[in-house]
Amino acid sequence: MARDVIPRELHKAGAHVDVVEAYETAVPRSSRARLRAALKNPKTCPHVVTFTSSSTVKNFLELLRPTRSTKKRYTALAEIQLASIGPVTSSTLREQGLPVDIAAKEFTIPGLIAAIERAFATPQ
């Protein structure tokens, strides 16, 4: 599911590029029930959900997709801040109708952590 920016640009520069899948993003079957249970329980409901790629956004929303037994998406997301690692991930969140409450300035895990820390820092 990775974007093709790097291989495309290398190819334009004259390089021969072989794209090899190194891993596959998969969602365990038990994740849907576990996520829904966590969101329903005030003790386990997160204050922030972090997204590190467009696929994490899509997989998260797939887990919340309505099923026959659940008529609508879980509404607890209104109380949770959504944190994005970078502009592509933020764009995917917005395309899915979700806000970007926290965005990393440096598009790395440490940058995402710093953005979350800033968001929750109490003014002195």
Side-chain angles (χ1 to χ4, degrees), residues 22-34:
Y23 66 92
E24 179 182 6
T25 303
V27 180
R29 293 178 193 250
S30 64
S31 294
R32 179 182 301 258
R34 291 176 63 208

Side-chain angles (χ1 to χ4, degrees), residues 87-100:
V88 174
T89 305
S90 294
S91 176
T92 302
L93 280 162
R94 290 185 189 104
E95 287 168 8
Q96 298 298 320
L98 295 172
V100 177

Side-chain angles (χ1 to χ4, degrees), residues 32 36 62-72:
R32 179 182 301 258
R36 289 171 187 246
E62 178 61 26
L63 293 173
L64 295 180
R65 187 173 50 90
T67 63
R68 288 178 210 158
S69 63
T70 59
K71 304 275 191 271
K72 58 184 177 177

Side-chain angles (χ1 to χ4, degrees), residues 26-77:
V27 180
R29 293 178 193 250
S30 64
S31 294
R32 179 182 301 258
R34 291 176 63 208
L35 175 61
R36 289 171 187 246
L39 293 177
K40 285 180 185 177
N41 184 339
K43 291 181 180 180
T44 59
C45 189
H47 297 283
V48 178
V49 174
T50 59
F51 296 97
T52 56
S53 66
S54 292
S55 64
T56 61
V57 173
K58 292 173 184 173
N59 288 339
F60 182 79
L61 292 177
E62 178 61 26
L63 293 173
L64 295 180
R65 187 173 50 90
T67 63
R68 288 178 210 158
S69 63
T70 59
K71 304 275 191 271
K72 58 184 177 177
R73 278 191 181 164
Y74 198 77
T75 56
L77 289 182

